[in-house]
PDB file of all heavy atoms in Angstrom:
ATOM      1  N   ASP A 254      89.095  77.304  86.473  1.00  0.00           N
ATOM      2  CA  ASP A 254      89.628  76.941  85.151  1.00  0.00           C
ATOM      3  C   ASP A 254      90.002  78.188  84.348  1.00  0.00           C
ATOM      4  O   ASP A 254      91.021  78.203  83.638  1.00  0.00           O
ATOM      5  CB  ASP A 254      88.592  76.131  84.377  1.00  0.00           C
ATOM      6  CG  ASP A 254      88.472  74.698  84.885  1.00  0.00           C
ATOM      7  OD1 ASP A 254      89.401  74.236  85.576  1.00  0.00           O
ATOM      8  OD2 ASP A 254      87.435  74.060  84.598  1.00  0.00           O
ATOM      9  N   ALA A 255      89.184  79.236  84.447  1.00  0.00           N
ATOM     10  CA  ALA A 255      89.476  80.477  83.728  1.00  0.00           C
ATOM     11  C   ALA A 255      90.745  81.133  84.262  1.00  0.00           C
ATOM     12  O   ALA A 255      91.512  81.728  83.497  1.00  0.00           O
ATOM     13  CB  ALA A 255      88.293  81.438  83.842  1.00  0.00           C
ATOM     14  N   THR A 256      90.984  81.024  85.562  1.00  0.00           N
ATOM     15  CA  THR A 256      92.214  81.565  86.149  1.00  0.00           C
ATOM     16  C   THR A 256      93.423  80.811  85.606  1.00  0.00           C
ATOM     17  O   THR A 256      94.448  81.418  85.251  1.00  0.00           O
ATOM     18  CB  THR A 256      92.168  81.461  87.681  1.00  0.00           C
ATOM     19  OG1 THR A 256      91.000  82.144  88.163  1.00  0.00           O
ATOM     20  CG2 THR A 256      93.402  82.100  88.309  1.00  0.00           C
ATOM     21  N   ARG A 257      93.314  79.499  85.534  1.00  0.00           N
ATOM     22  CA  ARG A 257      94.400  78.701  84.955  1.00  0.00           C
ATOM     23  C   ARG A 257      94.653  79.125  83.507  1.00  0.00           C
ATOM     24  O   ARG A 257      95.810  79.248  83.072  1.00  0.00           O
ATOM     25  CB  ARG A 257      94.041  77.222  85.003  1.00  0.00           C
ATOM     26  CG  ARG A 257      93.933  76.641  86.406  1.00  0.00           C
ATOM     27  CD  ARG A 257      93.435  75.208  86.360  1.00  0.00           C
ATOM     28  NE  ARG A 257      93.364  74.608  87.684  1.00  0.00           N
ATOM     29  CZ  ARG A 257      92.320  73.907  88.135  1.00  0.00           C
ATOM     30  NH1 ARG A 257      91.256  73.715  87.356  1.00  0.00           N
ATOM     31  NH2 ARG A 257      92.331  73.391  89.341  1.00  0.00           N
ATOM     32  N   ALA A 258      93.567  79.361  82.773  1.00  0.00           N
ATOM     33  CA  ALA A 258      93.704  79.741  81.366  1.00  0.00           C
ATOM     34  C   ALA A 258      94.364  81.105  81.222  1.00  0.00           C
ATOM     35  O   ALA A 258      95.149  81.327  80.290  1.00  0.00           O
ATOM     36  CB  ALA A 258      92.333  79.740  80.695  1.00  0.00           C
ATOM     37  N   ARG A 259      94.062  82.025  82.119  1.00  0.00           N
ATOM     38  CA  ARG A 259      94.686  83.358  82.042  1.00  0.00           C
ATOM     39  C   ARG A 259      96.179  83.264  82.296  1.00  0.00           C
ATOM     40  O   ARG A 259      96.984  83.937  81.634  1.00  0.00           O
ATOM     41  CB  ARG A 259      94.008  84.312  83.029  1.00  0.00           C
ATOM     42  CG  ARG A 259      92.624  84.762  82.602  1.00  0.00           C
ATOM     43  CD  ARG A 259      92.119  85.898  83.466  1.00  0.00           C
ATOM     44  NE  ARG A 259      91.931  85.513  84.857  1.00  0.00           N
ATOM     45  CZ  ARG A 259      90.814  84.990  85.351  1.00  0.00           C
ATOM     46  NH1 ARG A 259      89.774  84.773  84.563  1.00  0.00           N
ATOM     47  NH2 ARG A 259      90.714  84.689  86.634  1.00  0.00           N
ATOM     48  N   VAL A 260      96.576  82.452  83.274  1.00  0.00           N
ATOM     49  CA  VAL A 260      98.004  82.271  83.537  1.00  0.00           C
ATOM     50  C   VAL A 260      98.683  81.659  82.318  1.00  0.00           C
ATOM     51  O   VAL A 260      99.757  82.116  81.895  1.00  0.00           O
ATOM     52  CB  VAL A 260      98.207  81.383  84.787  1.00  0.00           C
ATOM     53  CG1 VAL A 260      99.681  80.992  84.930  1.00  0.00           C
ATOM     54  CG2 VAL A 260      97.727  82.104  86.044  1.00  0.00           C
ATOM     55  N   ALA A 261      98.059  80.653  81.726  1.00  0.00           N
ATOM     56  CA  ALA A 261      98.638  80.020  80.537  1.00  0.00           C
ATOM     57  C   ALA A 261      98.749  81.003  79.383  1.00  0.00           C
ATOM     58  O   ALA A 261      99.753  81.005  78.645  1.00  0.00           O
ATOM     59  CB  ALA A 261      97.785  78.814  80.132  1.00  0.00           C
ATOM     60  N   ALA A 262      97.737  81.863  79.219  1.00  0.00           N
ATOM     61  CA  ALA A 262      97.760  82.835  78.123  1.00  0.00           C
ATOM     62  C   ALA A 262      98.860  83.871  78.333  1.00  0.00           C
ATOM     63  O   ALA A 262      99.530  84.281  77.370  1.00  0.00           O
ATOM     64  CB  ALA A 262      96.399  83.521  78.012  1.00  0.00           C
ATOM     65  N   LEU A 263      99.060  84.303  79.567  1.00  0.00           N
ATOM     66  CA  LEU A 263     100.127  85.262  79.848  1.00  0.00           C
ATOM     67  C   LEU A 263     101.493  84.659  79.543  1.00  0.00           C
ATOM     68  O   LEU A 263     102.370  85.309  78.971  1.00  0.00           O
ATOM     69  CB  LEU A 263     100.055  85.712  81.310  1.00  0.00           C
ATOM     70  CG  LEU A 263      98.927  86.677  81.669  1.00  0.00           C
ATOM     71  CD1 LEU A 263      98.771  86.770  83.184  1.00  0.00           C
ATOM     72  CD2 LEU A 263      99.197  88.062  81.095  1.00  0.00           C
ATOM     73  N   LEU A 264     101.679  83.408  79.912  1.00  0.00           N
ATOM     74  CA  LEU A 264     102.950  82.745  79.637  1.00  0.00           C
ATOM     75  C   LEU A 264     103.140  82.520  78.140  1.00  0.00           C
ATOM     76  O   LEU A 264     104.251  82.637  77.620  1.00  0.00           O
ATOM     77  CB  LEU A 264     103.011  81.416  80.388  1.00  0.00           C
ATOM     78  CG  LEU A 264     103.253  81.532  81.902  1.00  0.00           C
ATOM     79  CD1 LEU A 264     103.020  80.199  82.590  1.00  0.00           C
ATOM     80  CD2 LEU A 264     104.671  82.036  82.178  1.00  0.00           C
ATOM     81  N   ALA A 265     102.051  82.203  77.450  1.00  0.00           N
ATOM     82  CA  ALA A 265     102.162  81.966  76.004  1.00  0.00           C
ATOM     83  C   ALA A 265     102.501  83.243  75.247  1.00  0.00           C
ATOM     84  O   ALA A 265     103.306  83.230  74.306  1.00  0.00           O
ATOM     85  CB  ALA A 265     100.855  81.371  75.478  1.00  0.00           C
ATOM     86  N   SER A 266     101.902  84.366  75.649  1.00  0.00           N
ATOM     87  CA  SER A 266     102.164  85.629  74.963  1.00  0.00           C
ATOM     88  C   SER A 266     103.477  86.252  75.401  1.00  0.00           C
ATOM     89  O   SER A 266     104.159  86.919  74.623  1.00  0.00           O
ATOM     90  CB  SER A 266     101.026  86.618  75.214  1.00  0.00           C
ATOM     91  OG  SER A 266     101.043  87.072  76.561  1.00  0.00           O
ATOM     92  N   GLY A 267     103.811  86.066  76.682  1.00  0.00           N
ATOM     93  CA  GLY A 267     105.023  86.664  77.221  1.00  0.00           C
ATOM     94  C   GLY A 267     104.945  88.165  77.370  1.00  0.00           C
ATOM     95  O   GLY A 267     105.970  88.830  77.575  1.00  0.00           O
ATOM     96  N   THR A 268     103.723  88.707  77.282  1.00  0.00           N
ATOM     97  CA  THR A 268     103.549  90.163  77.359  1.00  0.00           C
ATOM     98  C   THR A 268     102.430  90.534  78.320  1.00  0.00           C
ATOM     99  O   THR A 268     101.553  89.720  78.627  1.00  0.00           O
ATOM    100  CB  THR A 268     103.211  90.752  75.978  1.00  0.00           C
ATOM    101  OG1 THR A 268     101.974  90.193  75.514  1.00  0.00           O
ATOM    102  CG2 THR A 268     104.305  90.454  74.969  1.00  0.00           C
ATOM    103  N   HIS A 269     102.466  91.776  78.757  1.00  0.00           N
ATOM    104  CA  HIS A 269     101.350  92.317  79.527  1.00  0.00           C
ATOM    105  C   HIS A 269     100.119  92.387  78.628  1.00  0.00           C
ATOM    106  O   HIS A 269     100.234  92.700  77.428  1.00  0.00           O
ATOM    107  CB  HIS A 269     101.679  93.718  80.041  1.00  0.00           C
ATOM    108  CG  HIS A 269     102.646  93.751  81.177  1.00  0.00           C
ATOM    109  ND1 HIS A 269     102.247  93.671  82.489  1.00  0.00           N
ATOM    110  CD2 HIS A 269     104.003  93.864  81.195  1.00  0.00           C
ATOM    111  CE1 HIS A 269     103.311  93.733  83.278  1.00  0.00           C
ATOM    112  NE2 HIS A 269     104.392  93.843  82.516  1.00  0.00           N
ATOM    113  N   PRO A 270      98.929  92.097  79.154  1.00  0.00           N
ATOM    114  CA  PRO A 270      97.721  92.137  78.315  1.00  0.00           C
ATOM    115  C   PRO A 270      97.402  93.547  77.849  1.00  0.00           C
ATOM    116  O   PRO A 270      97.831  94.531  78.454  1.00  0.00           O
ATOM    117  CB  PRO A 270      96.629  91.604  79.242  1.00  0.00           C
ATOM    118  CG  PRO A 270      97.137  91.856  80.620  1.00  0.00           C
ATOM    119  CD  PRO A 270      98.635  91.720  80.536  1.00  0.00           C
ATOM    120  N   GLU A 271      96.642  93.628  76.762  1.00  0.00           N
ATOM    121  CA  GLU A 271      96.159  94.890  76.228  1.00  0.00           C
ATOM    122  C   GLU A 271      94.642  94.934  76.356  1.00  0.00           C
ATOM    123  O   GLU A 271      93.991  93.893  76.457  1.00  0.00           O
ATOM    124  CB  GLU A 271      96.573  95.029  74.766  1.00  0.00           C
ATOM    125  CG  GLU A 271      98.071  95.031  74.564  1.00  0.00           C
ATOM    126  CD  GLU A 271      98.461  95.226  73.109  1.00  0.00           C
ATOM    127  OE1 GLU A 271      98.358  96.365  72.618  1.00  0.00           O
ATOM    128  OE2 GLU A 271      98.851  94.231  72.465  1.00  0.00           O
ATOM    129  N   PRO A 272      94.053  96.132  76.375  1.00  0.00           N
ATOM    130  CA  PRO A 272      92.587  96.216  76.453  1.00  0.00           C
ATOM    131  C   PRO A 272      91.933  95.420  75.333  1.00  0.00           C
ATOM    132  O   PRO A 272      92.385  95.449  74.181  1.00  0.00           O
ATOM    133  CB  PRO A 272      92.313  97.714  76.317  1.00  0.00           C
ATOM    134  CG  PRO A 272      93.575  98.375  76.804  1.00  0.00           C
ATOM    135  CD  PRO A 272      94.689  97.464  76.367  1.00  0.00           C
ATOM    136  N   SER A 273      90.864  94.710  75.672  1.00  0.00           N
ATOM    137  CA  SER A 273      90.204  93.852  74.696  1.00  0.00           C
ATOM    138  C   SER A 273      89.314  94.621  73.737  1.00  0.00           C
ATOM    139  O   SER A 273      89.025  94.151  72.640  1.00  0.00           O
ATOM    140  CB  SER A 273      89.352  92.805  75.426  1.00  0.00           C
ATOM    141  OG  SER A 273      88.257  93.434  76.088  1.00  0.00           O
ATOM    142  N   GLY A 274      88.849  95.788  74.153  1.00  0.00           N
ATOM    143  CA  GLY A 274      87.905  96.544  73.349  1.00  0.00           C
ATOM    144  C   GLY A 274      86.471  96.093  73.537  1.00  0.00           C
ATOM    145  O   GLY A 274      85.538  96.731  73.046  1.00  0.00           O
ATOM    146  N   GLU A 275      86.277  95.013  74.298  1.00  0.00           N
ATOM    147  CA  GLU A 275      84.931  94.500  74.549  1.00  0.00           C
ATOM    148  C   GLU A 275      84.379  94.954  75.889  1.00  0.00           C
ATOM    149  O   GLU A 275      83.234  94.654  76.223  1.00  0.00           O
ATOM    150  CB  GLU A 275      84.955  92.968  74.503  1.00  0.00           C
ATOM    151  CG  GLU A 275      85.417  92.407  73.166  1.00  0.00           C
ATOM    152  CD  GLU A 275      85.562  90.904  73.197  1.00  0.00           C
ATOM    153  OE1 GLU A 275      85.353  90.320  74.279  1.00  0.00           O
ATOM    154  OE2 GLU A 275      85.886  90.318  72.154  1.00  0.00           O
ATOM    155  N   TRP A 276      85.172  95.660  76.648  1.00  0.00           N
ATOM    156  CA  TRP A 276      84.821  96.041  78.011  1.00  0.00           C
ATOM    157  C   TRP A 276      85.534  97.350  78.304  1.00  0.00           C
ATOM    158  O   TRP A 276      86.670  97.540  77.868  1.00  0.00           O
ATOM    159  CB  TRP A 276      85.278  94.942  78.978  1.00  0.00           C
ATOM    160  CG  TRP A 276      85.010  95.164  80.432  1.00  0.00           C
ATOM    161  CD1 TRP A 276      85.923  95.515  81.389  1.00  0.00           C
ATOM    162  CD2 TRP A 276      83.768  95.039  81.110  1.00  0.00           C
ATOM    163  NE1 TRP A 276      85.324  95.613  82.611  1.00  0.00           N
ATOM    164  CE2 TRP A 276      83.988  95.325  82.471  1.00  0.00           C
ATOM    165  CE3 TRP A 276      82.469  94.722  80.690  1.00  0.00           C
ATOM    166  CZ2 TRP A 276      82.976  95.300  83.421  1.00  0.00           C
ATOM    167  CZ3 TRP A 276      81.464  94.703  81.647  1.00  0.00           C
ATOM    168  CH2 TRP A 276      81.709  94.980  82.978  1.00  0.00           C
ATOM    169  N   PRO A 277      84.889  98.303  78.991  1.00  0.00           N
ATOM    170  CA  PRO A 277      85.603  99.557  79.292  1.00  0.00           C
ATOM    171  C   PRO A 277      86.937  99.274  79.959  1.00  0.00           C
ATOM    172  O   PRO A 277      87.015  98.542  80.955  1.00  0.00           O
ATOM    173  CB  PRO A 277      84.627 100.269  80.244  1.00  0.00           C
ATOM    174  CG  PRO A 277      83.282  99.735  79.891  1.00  0.00           C
ATOM    175  CD  PRO A 277      83.513  98.295  79.523  1.00  0.00           C
ATOM    176  N   ALA A 278      87.996  99.847  79.425  1.00  0.00           N
ATOM    177  CA  ALA A 278      89.336  99.514  79.895  1.00  0.00           C
ATOM    178  C   ALA A 278      89.697 100.172  81.212  1.00  0.00           C
ATOM    179  O   ALA A 278      90.504  99.658  81.972  1.00  0.00           O
ATOM    180  CB  ALA A 278      90.367  99.909  78.826  1.00  0.00           C
ATOM    181  N   ILE A 279      89.100 101.332  81.482  1.00  0.00           N
ATOM    182  CA  ILE A 279      89.434 102.092  82.688  1.00  0.00           C
ATOM    183  C   ILE A 279      88.205 102.202  83.583  1.00  0.00           C
ATOM    184  O   ILE A 279      87.109 102.510  83.099  1.00  0.00           O
ATOM    185  CB  ILE A 279      89.945 103.500  82.303  1.00  0.00           C
ATOM    186  CG1 ILE A 279      91.245 103.390  81.491  1.00  0.00           C
ATOM    187  CG2 ILE A 279      90.164 104.369  83.529  1.00  0.00           C
ATOM    188  CD1 ILE A 279      91.787 104.705  80.990  1.00  0.00           C
ATOM    189  N   PRO A 280      88.359 101.924  84.881  1.00  0.00           N
ATOM    190  CA  PRO A 280      87.192 102.001  85.772  1.00  0.00           C
ATOM    191  C   PRO A 280      86.709 103.428  85.949  1.00  0.00           C
ATOM    192  O   PRO A 280      87.465 104.378  85.753  1.00  0.00           O
ATOM    193  CB  PRO A 280      87.744 101.428  87.089  1.00  0.00           C
ATOM    194  CG  PRO A 280      89.215 101.676  87.036  1.00  0.00           C
ATOM    195  CD  PRO A 280      89.589 101.561  85.584  1.00  0.00           C
ATOM    196  N   TRP A 281      85.438 103.564  86.295  1.00  0.00           N
ATOM    197  CA  TRP A 281      84.877 104.895  86.545  1.00  0.00           C
ATOM    198  C   TRP A 281      84.133 104.890  87.868  1.00  0.00           C
ATOM    199  O   TRP A 281      83.327 104.019  88.130  1.00  0.00           O
ATOM    200  CB  TRP A 281      83.926 105.299  85.408  1.00  0.00           C
ATOM    201  CG  TRP A 281      83.504 106.714  85.565  1.00  0.00           C
ATOM    202  CD1 TRP A 281      82.340 107.187  86.110  1.00  0.00           C
ATOM    203  CD2 TRP A 281      84.275 107.863  85.198  1.00  0.00           C
ATOM    204  NE1 TRP A 281      82.332 108.557  86.123  1.00  0.00           N
ATOM    205  CE2 TRP A 281      83.509 109.001  85.555  1.00  0.00           C
ATOM    206  CE3 TRP A 281      85.524 108.055  84.613  1.00  0.00           C
ATOM    207  CZ2 TRP A 281      83.962 110.304  85.345  1.00  0.00           C
ATOM    208  CZ3 TRP A 281      85.971 109.338  84.402  1.00  0.00           C
ATOM    209  CH2 TRP A 281      85.200 110.442  84.778  1.00  0.00           C
ATOM    210  N   PRO A 282      84.409 105.902  88.721  1.00  0.00           N
ATOM    211  CA  PRO A 282      85.450 106.910  88.553  1.00  0.00           C
ATOM    212  C   PRO A 282      86.835 106.287  88.698  1.00  0.00           C
ATOM    213  O   PRO A 282      86.980 105.284  89.397  1.00  0.00           O
ATOM    214  CB  PRO A 282      85.170 107.899  89.669  1.00  0.00           C
ATOM    215  CG  PRO A 282      84.476 107.106  90.720  1.00  0.00           C
ATOM    216  CD  PRO A 282      83.662 106.082  89.999  1.00  0.00           C
ATOM    217  N   PRO A 283      87.857 106.871  88.063  1.00  0.00           N
ATOM    218  CA  PRO A 283      89.186 106.235  88.076  1.00  0.00           C
ATOM    219  C   PRO A 283      89.873 106.253  89.436  1.00  0.00           C
ATOM    220  O   PRO A 283      90.777 105.466  89.666  1.00  0.00           O
ATOM    221  CB  PRO A 283      89.977 107.056  87.047  1.00  0.00           C
ATOM    222  CG  PRO A 283      89.267 108.357  86.962  1.00  0.00           C
ATOM    223  CD  PRO A 283      87.832 108.056  87.203  1.00  0.00           C
TER     224      PRO A 283
END
Side-chain angles (χ1 to χ4, degrees):
D254 285 342
T256 303
R257 294 174 178 134
R259 286 191 296 272
V260 170
L263 286 166
L264 285 169
S266 71
T268 62
H269 286 271
E271 299 182 75
S273 67
E275 300 174 357
W276 180 255
I279 297 176
W281 188 262

